[in-house]
Amino acid sequence: MTDQTTPSSSETDAPQRNRSSAVGRTFLWVGIGIGAVSAAALTYFVLRATLMQRPPATDETADRIQGLIEEANRLIKTLDEKKQT
């Protein structure tokens, strides 16, 4: 009679195994979900960075430097012409 009143170790372990199994599956699906969201976010930002590139705006500094170089070349040319005459 004592065998029937005391649960065996396999009977007490069954709910624990079921709970562990459910928690394991939950963590598995959460991990898959986090991985999918991370991959989607990474893809979005990579595509956004590559496809949405704006054409480079004109650089005012580069334009100013180019203008100064051209002015200097004109002045040098003018000085050379004055020297020759």
Side-chain angles (χ1 to χ4, degrees), residues 13-81:
D13 288 346
Q16 182 65 28
R17 273 189 256 131
N18 288 341
R19 190 177 311 136
S20 295
S21 177
V23 170
R25 282 193 304 266
T26 302
F27 281 137
L28 174 70
W29 284 110
V30 167
I32 290 171
I34 290 173
V37 168
S38 299
L42 179 64
T43 302
Y44 170 76
F45 286 115
V46 167
L47 288 176
R48 182 177 166 207
T50 56
L51 296 178
M52 299 272 188
Q53 289 180 351
R54 297 183 194 132
T58 57
D59 187 9
E60 293 178 17
T61 305
D63 292 342
R64 175 107 170 105
I65 291 171
Q66 186 62 37
L68 291 171
I69 290 171
E70 290 170 1
E71 184 180 350
N73 287 335
R74 282 192 305 268
L75 291 172
I76 291 171
K77 185 178 178 181
T78 304
L79 286 173
D80 285 342
E81 287 174 357

